[in-house]
Amino acid sequence: MKISCETVQDLLPLYHDHVCSEESKELVEQHLQECKKCKETLNLISAKFYTKSVQTAEDTALKAAAAAWKKGKSKALLKGGLAMLVGIFLLATCYLGIHWFSSVDADDIDALTKQAAEYFERFDYQDVSIKKIEQRGGFLAALCVDKNNCWFICVFDQDDIFKDRWKANGGRGLEQGKIGSWNFGDWRGGVIIVGGGDISDQVCWYTFQNSGIIYTCSVEENIILEIFITQNQYDINGHPVMLDKEFKEIKN
């Protein structure tokens, strides 16, 4: 039995996929032996199927690779973010640790003494002890003496992070029995720190002038330590003068 090319070409997809009946299969095969055109059509169907299969496999591989890359990128970003957070935490901890361990509490006399001794050891002060501490606002000072009875003022800076902790960073030596001062200025204003040790009982007052203002203060002990803060951070020129009970200058 012969069939037309149109009928065969309708059956070719089913024949190619092996889903046609045995009778249709035999008819198609008989026709293909005699019809070159239908045979070429079958070859085209086979070629299209092969190409589609290859492209599908390649697409699947590409999609899998893209998914794996995206997943790996997400993990890398997560790991990078965590590493950055850990790094920031460690840096912050180190920064805070440096501030904490380089400063001391204002109520810890032993720690303040150690700070003062370490700062002034370059000036050959030995066996330093603190005789008086004075704090005003953001300023802290200590009146110190060493084993050779050498007196000096030690100035402490307030820590930028821990406001109740301090670090020795300045000061000056004093003549025994006389009143001296350490003057400096910063953005908070001018600072005059007056101090002295082994002050004679003859000294009842001391005075100094700064920016047109005369300061006169009583002396009730043989040691003195006081902090004065002025508004002008540039014009700081207070030099204490010792006075007797009648406000007359004592000259040594």
Side-chain angles (χ1 to χ4, degrees), residues 14 31 45 70 101-102 104 135 157 164 193 198 210 216:
L14 300 175
H31 182 85
I45 293 174
K70 186 175 181 180
F101 290 107
S102 64
V104 297
Q135 180 178 350
D157 285 343
D164 57 343
I193 303 176
D198 292 335
N210 183 76
T216 302

Side-chain angles (χ1 to χ4, degrees), residues 2 16 24 35 54 64 99 111 132 143 163 170 179 213-214 216 228 236:
K2 290 187 177 181
H16 179 274
S24 296
C35 182
V54 172
H99 277 264
K132 191 171 184 179
L143 180 67
K163 298 303 181 181
I179 301 174
I213 301 175
I214 298 176
T216 302
F228 300 87
I236 310 167

Side-chain angles (χ1 to χ4, degrees), residues 161-218:
I161 305 297
F162 306 101
K163 298 303 181 181
D164 57 343
R165 296 180 70 82
W166 305 80
K167 181 178 180 179
N169 190 33
R172 59 157 293 181
L174 302 169
E175 293 186 53
Q176 185 178 1
K178 293 186 178 182
I179 301 174
S181 67
W182 173 249
N183 309 329
F184 63 95
D186 63 14
W187 59 271
R188 293 169 290 184
V191 182
I192 301 173
I193 303 176
V194 178
D198 292 335
I199 306 299
S200 170
D201 293 337
Q202 184 183 1
V203 181
C204 298
W205 307 87
Y206 71 89
T207 185
F208 65 92
Q209 182 175 331
N210 183 76
S211 300
I213 301 175
I214 298 176
Y215 298 80
T216 302
C217 306
S218 63

Side-chain angles (χ1 to χ4, degrees), residues 51-242:
T51 303
K52 183 178 180 180
S53 299
V54 172
Q55 289 178 345
T56 302
E58 289 178 350
D59 290 344
T60 302
L62 288 173
K63 289 180 180 179
W69 179 83
K70 186 175 181 180
K71 184 177 181 181
K73 183 179 179 182
S74 299
K75 288 184 177 180
L77 288 174
L78 180 60
K79 289 180 180 179
L82 290 174
M84 184 174 66
L85 290 176
V86 171
I88 292 173
F89 173 77
L90 292 175
L91 286 175
T93 302
C94 291
Y95 180 75
L96 294 175
I98 289 172
H99 277 264
W100 178 268
F101 290 107
S102 64
S103 59
V104 297
D105 192 278
D107 296 326
D108 192 338
I109 300 298
D110 291 337
L112 290 173
T113 301
K114 183 179 179 181
Q115 284 254 344
E118 290 176 352
Y119 185 84
F120 279 92
E121 67 181 2
R122 70 193 76 174
F123 304 111
D124 295 327
Y125 288 96
Q126 300 176 2
D127 295 338
V128 173
S129 62
I130 293 178
K131 296 300 181 182
K132 191 171 184 179
I133 295 176
E134 184 75 14
Q135 180 178 350
R136 176 167 292 184
F139 302 96
L140 178 71
L143 180 67
C144 308
V145 65
D146 74 352
K147 69 175 184 179
N148 298 317
N149 210 33
C150 295
W151 294 84
F152 63 96
I153 295 172
C154 183
V155 180
F156 295 82
D157 285 343
Q158 189 176 40
D159 187 80
D160 295 332
I161 305 297
F162 306 101
K163 298 303 181 181
D164 57 343
R165 296 180 70 82
W166 305 80
K167 181 178 180 179
N169 190 33
R172 59 157 293 181
L174 302 169
E175 293 186 53
Q176 185 178 1
K178 293 186 178 182
I179 301 174
S181 67
W182 173 249
N183 309 329
F184 63 95
D186 63 14
W187 59 271
R188 293 169 290 184
V191 182
I192 301 173
I193 303 176
V194 178
D198 292 335
I199 306 299
S200 170
D201 293 337
Q202 184 183 1
V203 181
C204 298
W205 307 87
Y206 71 89
T207 185
F208 65 92
Q209 182 175 331
N210 183 76
S211 300
I213 301 175
I214 298 176
Y215 298 80
T216 302
C217 306
S218 63
V219 178
E220 299 176 356
E221 300 179 88
N222 65 341
I223 59 173
I224 296 172
L225 182 66
E226 294 186 276
I227 299 176
F228 300 87
I229 302 175
T230 67
Q231 294 183 348
N232 192 333
Q233 69 184 80
Y234 302 106
D235 185 16
I236 310 167
N237 52 13
H239 300 288
V241 175
M242 296 184 296

